[in-house]
Amino acid sequence: MRTRTGYWVLGLVFLGLLSIYAQREGLTYPLENAILRLLAPFQAPFSRAGLWLNSQAETLQNLQTLPEERRKQQELIQNLTRELVRLREVELENARLKEQLKYRGQAPGGEYLAATVLAREPRGGVQTLLLDRGAQEGVKVGMIVVASGGLVGRVTQVYDTVAKVLPITDPSSTVNAMVQRPDSRASGLVVGQPGERLTMKFLPATEEVKAEDVIITSGLGGGFPKGILIGKVTEVRQRDVEAFKEAELTAAVPLRRLEEVLILLDFQPKRLDER
Amino acid sequence: MSYLLAFPILALLALLQTSFLPPLLPLSQGPNLVFLGLLSWALEAREGPGLFWALVGSVLLGVLGGVPLGLYLLLFALLVPLAAATRRWLVLPTLPALLLLGFLASIFAEAPVLAVMEALGRPIDWPGHTTLVLVPQAVFNALAMPLVYWPLRWLAVRMGAQTIQVVA
């Protein structure tokens, strides 16, 4: 009996090592694709059920503050409507000026593909989102994913019907970013942290950055288009002896309750060796 | 039969873990139900089926998550016989024993994965990952362990898959 268990263990260790190698070589793609195809039809109802339960719990919690919330929302809608009208004017003016200057900007044209978040998995220090769009819909590795006007992450793996996204809160994710304020355009690097947090590093110590500052993508490096909202500064840390300061950010998009996202189809990130 | 049940049960746990639970949890972390499922089966069934469950579970975790496909398999191949060896202490498992088992097994399963991921080049901030990832996951796993273990134990008894029979 013990010998048989020993064979099992040895077999699985061999299989484990083999599959790590095979995945690196892309040989496990058909297996992964088949399992994801099999699970995908079940993932959407499970995800919807979880989000529905969460919204019911939130509704119960917010019942007492509902009238006040409604008044605030109406105020917000009025303010946003005024802002929208003003921005339309600015956009028209901007387009006219660009035309006159023959300026070719780097802002993306805006061809988006809507996708539903099927699963979220934060195991092994790697955060992953699974979307219900894949190669069949034209999704490619490196494409940018946004939601509610904020940056979510970028596509890292594409299968026939689903795609995996590395969120910006993953510790291996880095985004070139800048402060969006007329008197400060300080730039730095937004890095994901454990626990779905964000830190902006390498902010010059001489630049003024304060809480509530809005942080957007800077477009530097070519990995992300310029001008996508990342989040807001909550805290700034600086030591006298250091040339840089750091800022803690709140992500504009709360990943845990993310339901729908948009994949930016017309932006191809530049690779360093292409330049 | 024990082999046939591996995929549907672990796939159901994977769907609950990755699609249903994340919006409901107050933290970014949650229980690893697939791991708890195969751990529970290892405690109840023979080593062979237990290791087959480990194979299916590790493939599911690899496919749905971001860790390399065979990494959990290497770990579970070693953990399942260990779990099977402890089954004698859990002939009549009590709630505190299950909570402790869920917590400790989680730490023993996830910490080596982080170490391997670091060796593979991923940035692992150990203090941050310990306080915000490892410990919350272990607490969730401890709380979820009885919820996964008891139904699977009931199933193992119904199927006669147990290696140790409880005599009243």
Side-chain angles (χ1 to χ4, degrees):
Chain A
M1 189 68 188
R2 276 188 180 172
T3 320
R4 207 174 148 194
T5 306
Y7 285 140
W8 260 105
V9 171
L10 278 177
L12 290 187
V13 168
F14 175 71
L15 201 59
L17 292 170
L18 188 70
S19 48
I20 289 176
Y21 169 78
Q23 194 180 29
R24 286 202 162 193
E25 298 297 314
L27 301 172
T28 56
Y29 179 86
L31 172 74
E32 293 177 62
N33 199 32
I35 293 174
L36 287 167
R37 262 177 178 258
L38 192 67
L39 290 179
F42 302 100
Q43 284 174 313
F46 271 81
S47 182
R48 274 199 298 272
L51 287 162
W52 180 82
L53 261 182
N54 177 55
S55 70
Q56 297 304 306
E58 275 185 352
T59 306
L60 281 175
Q61 273 178 350
N62 297 337
L63 221 50
Q64 286 182 329
T65 55
L66 216 54
E68 176 66 11
E69 242 350 271
R70 190 164 175 269
R71 190 187 60 75
K72 279 184 187 168
Q73 295 291 340
Q74 280 174 338
E75 262 181 38
L76 187 66
I77 289 169
Q78 282 174 2
N79 288 339
L80 288 175
T81 311
R82 274 197 295 272
E83 187 69 7
L84 188 66
V85 171
R86 193 183 68 81
L87 286 174
R88 274 188 186 145
E89 280 304 307
V90 172
E91 191 183 11
L92 287 171
E93 186 187 40
N94 191 27
R96 279 198 305 274
L97 291 171
K98 274 182 179 175
E99 182 59 36
Q100 285 168 16
L101 291 169
K102 304 290 181 209
Y103 174 82
R104 189 170 157 269
Q106 31 171 334
E111 197 188 337
Y112 294 99
L113 178 70
T116 304
V117 178
L118 294 177
R120 305 150 191 83
E121 178 63 10
R123 224 59 56 180
V126 189
Q127 295 170 26
T128 312
L129 295 177
L130 199 67
L131 307 183
D132 70 339
R133 303 286 187 169
Q136 286 176 355
E137 286 91 6
V139 180
K140 289 178 187 156
V141 171
M143 283 182 170
I144 307 305
V145 180
V146 296
S148 312
L151 185 62
V152 173
R154 64 173 187 274
V155 176
T156 51
Q157 279 171 290
V158 180
Y159 300 91
D160 285 353
T161 53
V162 296
K164 281 185 186 176
V165 173
L166 181 83
I168 54 168
T169 50
D170 184 272
S172 69
S173 162
T174 52
V175 185
N176 283 300
M178 61 195 263
V179 176
Q180 190 192 40
R181 189 149 44 89
D183 55 339
S184 174
R185 305 291 274 176
S187 62
L189 200 63
V190 172
V191 183
Q193 299 293 329
E196 285 188 7
R197 294 173 305 135
L198 290 172
T199 301
M200 190 167 179
K201 295 183 174 179
F202 306 116
L203 281 160
T206 49
E207 294 275 359
E208 194 205 354
V209 181
K210 53 189 182 189
E212 293 296 306
D213 272 350
V214 172
I215 306 298
I216 58 170
T217 52
S218 67
L220 287 174
F224 292 87
K226 187 180 178 181
I228 299 180
L229 179 64
I230 296 175
K232 266 186 183 177
V233 175
T234 52
E235 187 193 343
V236 181
R237 285 190 302 267
Q238 184 179 10
R239 289 184 198 149
D240 293 341
V241 290
E242 289 174 354
F244 297 103
K245 53 182 154 189
E246 282 186 6
E248 290 292 323
L249 310 184
T250 307
V253 182
L255 294 182
R256 244 178 315 136
R257 281 149 200 178
L258 203 55
E259 199 172 353
E260 306 284 342
V261 294
L262 296 169
I263 304 168
L264 199 47
L265 292 176
D266 57 357
F267 177 80
Q268 281 298 316
K270 289 184 180 68
R271 280 167 39 200
L272 284 171
D273 53 4
E274 282 175 352
R275 272 171 262 150
Chain B
M1 190 64 178
S2 186
Y3 293 95
L4 290 177
L5 280 175
F7 187 78
I9 290 179
L10 292 175
L12 176 68
L13 291 173
L15 289 171
L16 288 170
Q17 172 183 322
T18 59
S19 296
F20 180 74
L21 281 180
L24 300 171
L25 297 170
L27 301 173
S28 59
Q29 304 301 317
N32 190 343
L33 298 178
V34 174
F35 168 62
L36 297 180
L38 63 91
L39 181 69
S40 301
W41 205 255
L43 288 169
E44 287 302 314
R46 294 173 187 86
E47 275 92 342
L51 287 164
F52 182 73
W53 278 54
L55 171 66
V56 175
S58 64
V59 169
L60 282 170
L61 285 175
V63 168
L64 290 170
V67 291
L69 200 57
L71 187 52
Y72 273 112
L73 184 54
L74 287 177
L75 191 70
F76 294 159
L78 303 173
L79 265 179
V80 167
L82 269 179
T86 63
R87 70 162 65 104
R88 286 179 190 284
W89 304 338
L90 282 169
V91 171
L92 286 173
T94 57
L95 186 65
L98 287 176
L99 294 176
L100 187 65
L101 184 71
F103 187 87
L104 293 178
S106 172
I107 299 285
F108 281 117
E110 300 293 345
V113 172
L114 287 181
V116 174
M117 293 304 283
E118 189 176 29
L120 290 173
R122 283 198 55 94
I124 302 290
D125 157 33
W126 280 99
H129 272 93
T130 304
T131 51
L132 296 164
V133 177
L134 274 182
V135 174
Q137 274 184 11
V139 171
F140 277 119
N141 281 343
L143 295 173
M145 181 68 191
L147 302 175
V148 177
Y149 176 77
W150 286 111
L152 286 179
R153 182 185 165 93
W154 174 83
L155 190 66
V157 173
R158 297 275 297 180
M159 288 172 45
Q162 280 183 308
T163 47
I164 296 168
Q165 300 297 323
V166 181
V167 181

